[in-house]
C-alpha cells in the first residue's frame, strides 16, 4: 500500500502594507458648502482694483428696469378673445412716484459710459485700433440680440400661420421687441466713445441743449408734422448726457461729493420745476392716453431726472462698495475662509447678474409673456395676468407673479447661456469659471 505524504497548506500571501503616507478620503460636501465655495471663488476671482460699486449700480439699474416693465406692462384679454396692452399708470395716477425709482436707465448709461471709456483707454495703451476695439465691444451686444430677434421672428411666423388675431400679434411683438431700442442706442453711444472720451463734459452740455431745443420746437411748430420726426434725435441726445458723465467719472471726475451733490440737487430741482410749471408729465415712463411721454423720446424733464439719478448714484459709491466687500482676514494666524460672508453672497449675486446683463435685459419681457400665455392656452384667466390693471387687487396679484416671472427668466437665461457655451465648445465651463475668465479679460466692470 502506497504511503501518502501529507504536506501542510502553503501560507496565503498577504499584499504588502503601504509604507508611504495615507491619502485622506475625499470629503463629501453638502450642497450648502458647495454654494459657499462658489461664492468664495467669485470673490477671489475679482481683481482687488475693480470698482465694485459700478457693478452694483449696473445691477440695480437692470433690476429697476426689469421690475418696472413687469409692473407696468399689463396684457388684458378682451371680449373678442384678443390681447391688448395696458398699464396701471393709466388708471391709478398715485403710482407715478414708483416710476421715479424703477425708471433707472440713466444709471445704466452712466455706468456704460464709464466702462466704455476705461475700455477704450486700455485699448489705446495696448495699441489696439478703434475698429478692432469697436468690433469687440459690439459683439457682446449683437450676438445675443440677433439670436433674440430671430427667435421672436419664428414666433411671429408661427402666430401668423396659426391665424392669431392681429391685435394679439401686435401686442406680443411690441412687448417682446421693446428692449431692442435700448441696445441700438447703446451701440451708437459706444461707437461715439472716442469723442466722448476727449470732451465728455462739453458734449453732455451740448446734448442737454439739443434736447431743450427739440422740446421747444414741439409747441412752436405744433401744426408741422416734421417736429415729431425731428424730436427722435432726442433719443440718442438724451441718453448721451449720462453716458458722457460716465466718461467723466472714468477720467477721474466726481472725486468730491459736492459735484455729485450738485447733480442731484440741480437735476432734481429742474425736474420738479419742469413738471410743476413746465407742462411735463410727472411720470418718468409713458402713460397710455397721455399726449406727452417723458421717455419716448426723452424730454428735458427726463434728462434732468437722469442728472439727479447720476448724482445719487455717485453719492452712493462708497456705501455700495462697502456692502459688497468682505473685510480681509488679518493677523499672522489668519486662515483662508471656508464660509462666505453676507457681503460676499451679495457680491456673487451682483457679479452673476452683470455677467448676463444683456441676456436678462433682452429676455425679461419674454419671461412675462410666457407666464401670461401658458395659463391662457390652458383656458385659465388669472388676475394680475389677463385682467385689467385698474384696481388695487391687480397690483397685489401682479406683485405675487413677480417671483414666477423671475423663475421663468432664470430658466431662459440658463438655456441661452448653455446654447452659447455649446457654440463656443465650452460645455465643461460652469458659470463660475466663465466669470473667472471674464474678469481676467476685461478692464473695469
Amino acid at each position: 500500500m502506497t504511503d501518502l505524504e501529507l504536506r501542510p497548506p502553503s501560507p496565503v500571501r498577504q499584499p504588502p502594507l503601504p509604507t508611504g503616507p495615507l491619502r485622506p478620503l475625499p470629503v463629501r460636501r453638502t450642497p450648502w458648502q458647495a454654494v459657499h465655495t462658489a461664492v468664495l471663488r467669485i470673490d477671489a476671482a475679482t481683481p482687488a482694483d475693480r470698482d465694485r460699486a459700478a457693478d452694483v449700480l449696473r445691477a440695480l439699474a437692470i433690476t429697476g428696469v426689469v421690475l418696472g416693465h413687469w409692473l407696468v406692462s399689463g396684457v388684458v384679454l378682451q371680449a373678442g378673445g384678443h390681447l391688448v396692452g395696458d398699464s396701471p399708470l393709466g388708471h391709478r395716477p398715485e403710482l407715478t412716484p414708483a416710476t421715479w425709482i424703477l425708471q433707472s436707465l440713466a444709471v445704466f448709461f452712466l455706468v456704460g459710459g464709464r466702462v466704455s471709456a476705461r475700455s477704450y483707454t486700455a485699448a489705446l495703451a495696448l495699441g489696439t485700433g478703434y475698429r478692432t476695439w469697436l468690433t469687440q465691444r459690439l459683439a457682446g451686444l449683437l450676438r445675443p440680440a440677433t439670436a433674440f430677434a430671430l427667435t421672436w421672428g419664428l414666433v411671429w411666423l408661427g402666430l401668423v400661420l396659426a391665424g392669431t388675431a392681429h391685435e394679439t400679434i401686435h401686442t406680443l411683438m411690441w412687448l417682446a421687441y421693446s428692449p431692442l431700442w435700448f441696445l441700438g442706442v447703446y451701440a451708437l453711444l459706444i461707437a461715439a466713445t472716442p469723442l466722448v472720451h476727449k470732451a465728455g463734459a462739453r458734449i453732455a452740455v451740448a446734448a442737454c441743449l439739443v434736447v431743450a431745443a427739440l422740446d421747444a420746437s414741439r409747441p412752436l411748430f405744433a401744426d408741422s408734422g416734421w417736429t415729431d420726426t425731428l424730436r427722435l434725435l432726442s433719443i440718442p441726445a438724451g441718453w448721451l448726457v449720462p453716458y458722457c458723465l460716465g466718461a467723466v467719472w472714468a477720467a477721474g471726475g466726481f472725486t468730491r461729493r459736492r459735484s455729485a451733490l450738485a447733480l442731484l440737487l440741480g437735476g432734481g430741482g429742474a425736474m420738479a420745476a419742469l413738471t410743476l410749471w413746465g407742462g411735463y408729465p410727472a411720470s418718468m415712463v409713458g402713460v397710455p392716453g397721455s399726449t406727452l411721454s417723458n421717455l419716448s423720446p426723452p424730454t428735458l424733464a427726463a434728462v434732468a431726472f437722469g442728472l439727479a439719478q447720476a448724482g445719487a448714484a455717485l453719492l452712493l459709491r462708497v456705501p455700495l462698495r462697502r456692502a459688497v466687500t468682505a473685510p480681509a482676514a488679518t493677523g499672522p494666524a489668519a486662515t483662508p475662509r471656508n464660509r462666505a460672508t453676507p457681503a460676499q453672497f451679495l457680491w456673487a449675486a451682483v457679479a452673476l447678474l452683470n455677467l448676463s446683463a444683456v441676456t436678462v435685459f433682452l429676455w425679461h419681457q419674454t419671461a412675462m409673456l410666457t407666464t401670461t400665455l401658458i395659463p391662457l392656452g390652458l383656458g385659465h384667466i388669472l388676475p394680475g395676468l389677463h385682467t385689467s390693471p385698474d384696481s388695487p387687487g391687480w397690483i397685489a396679484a401682479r406683485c405675487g407673479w413677480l417671483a414666477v416671472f423671475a423663475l421663468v427668466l432664470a430658466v431662459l437665461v440658463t438655456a441661452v447661456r448653455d446654447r452659447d457655451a455649446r457654440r463656443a465648445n465650452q460645455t465643461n465651463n460652469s458659470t463660475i469659471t466663465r466669470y473667472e475668465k471674464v474678469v481676467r479679460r476685461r478692464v473695469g466692470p
Side-chain angles (χ1 to χ4, degrees):
M1 192 173 187
T2 307
D3 294 331
L4 295 177
E5 182 180 1
L6 299 178
R7 297 180 179 178
S10 58
V12 179
R13 295 184 178 180
Q14 300 291 340
L17 295 176
T19 57
L22 296 178
R23 283 185 290 179
L25 294 175
V27 179
R28 306 189 68 177
R29 295 185 301 174
T30 64
W32 186 237
Q33 289 173 329
V35 171
H36 276 273
T37 302
V39 169
L40 290 172
R41 282 181 60 187
I42 292 176
D43 187 70
T46 305
D49 59 346
R50 187 182 184 93
D51 189 358
R52 300 189 181 196
D55 293 281
V56 178
L57 288 172
R58 180 162 49 186
L60 290 175
I62 295 172
T63 303
V65 171
V66 170
L67 291 178
H69 282 165
W70 285 350
L71 287 172
V72 305
S73 300
V75 179
V76 182
L77 179 65
Q78 298 294 296
H82 58 273
L83 300 174
V84 297
D86 202 351
S87 172
L89 295 174
H91 302 276
R92 307 193 68 83
E94 64 271 18
L95 296 177
T96 295
T99 66
W100 306 340
I101 300 174
L102 298 177
Q103 203 286 77
S104 50
L105 283 173
V107 178
F108 193 98
F109 282 105
L110 172 73
V111 178
R114 178 186 183 275
V115 171
S116 296
R118 284 170 57 87
S119 175
Y120 182 68
T121 302
L124 292 179
L126 296 174
T128 304
Y130 168 73
R131 182 177 300 179
T132 302
W133 172 83
L134 182 63
T135 301
Q136 294 173 348
R137 294 292 297 176
L138 295 184
L141 299 178
L142 295 180
R143 278 197 300 264
T146 302
F148 171 81
L150 291 176
T151 300
W152 269 101
L154 295 176
V155 173
W156 172 85
L157 181 61
L159 293 173
V160 171
L161 295 177
T164 307
H166 170 72
E167 295 86 353
T168 298
I169 296 177
H170 179 269
T171 299
L172 297 180
M173 293 300 110
W174 174 258
L175 290 173
Y177 278 121
S178 58
L180 287 180
W181 76 264
F182 162 81
L183 292 184
V185 174
Y186 192 43
L188 181 63
L189 297 184
I190 290 176
T193 299
L195 296 176
V196 173
H197 177 67
K198 292 180 179 179
R202 293 195 295 270
I203 294 177
V205 174
C208 288
L209 296 177
V210 168
V211 175
L214 293 173
D215 277 9
S217 69
R218 187 179 64 88
L220 292 177
F221 305 97
D223 297 333
S224 302
W226 55 268
T227 56
D228 290 337
T229 302
L230 188 62
R231 286 188 65 237
L232 293 177
L233 294 175
S234 293
I235 298 177
W239 299 120
L240 180 61
V241 175
Y243 191 86
C244 289
L245 295 180
V248 174
W249 178 12
F254 304 113
T255 55
R256 296 183 178 181
R257 290 175 57 87
R258 67 179 65 177
S259 55
L261 188 61
L263 285 176
L264 173 60
L265 297 180
M271 185 200 81
L274 289 170
T275 55
L276 290 174
W277 304 296
Y280 289 89
S283 173
M284 288 298 114
V285 300
V287 178
S290 177
T291 58
L292 179 64
S293 169
N294 276 323
L295 197 57
S296 301
T299 63
L300 188 60
V303 173
F305 176 67
L307 292 176
Q309 282 188 315
L314 293 169
L315 288 173
L316 289 174
R317 284 176 295 177
V318 173
L320 290 178
R321 192 179 298 122
R322 188 184 303 118
V324 294
T325 304
T330 57
T335 58
R337 293 190 178 102
N338 56 9
R339 294 183 64 84
T341 64
Q344 289 171 319
F345 269 99
L346 184 58
W347 169 244
V350 169
L352 295 181
L353 179 56
N354 276 273
L355 187 64
S356 304
V358 176
T359 304
V360 168
F361 190 84
L362 284 173
W363 291 93
H364 73 277
Q365 289 288 67
T366 303
M368 185 268 289
L369 293 174
T370 302
T371 308
T372 302
L373 294 177
I374 289 178
L376 195 60
L378 298 175
H380 301 294
I381 301 177
L382 302 175
L385 286 183
H386 315 109
T387 54
S388 178
D390 56 359
S391 66
W394 186 94
I395 298 173
R398 191 65 162 195
C399 291
W401 284 109
L402 294 180
V404 182
F405 296 163
L407 179 61
V408 175
L409 178 59
V411 173
L412 290 173
V413 170
T414 302
V416 172
R417 181 200 67 196
D418 291 345
R419 181 198 61 193
D420 294 341
R422 287 193 298 270
R423 288 182 177 181
N425 295 322
Q426 296 175 347
T427 54
N428 293 327
N429 284 352
S430 65
T431 302
I432 311 302
T433 304
R434 288 178 61 234
Y435 174 78
E436 292 172 334
K437 291 182 177 180
V438 166
V439 295
R440 293 192 188 102
R441 187 173 66 248
R442 289 184 180 174
V443 175

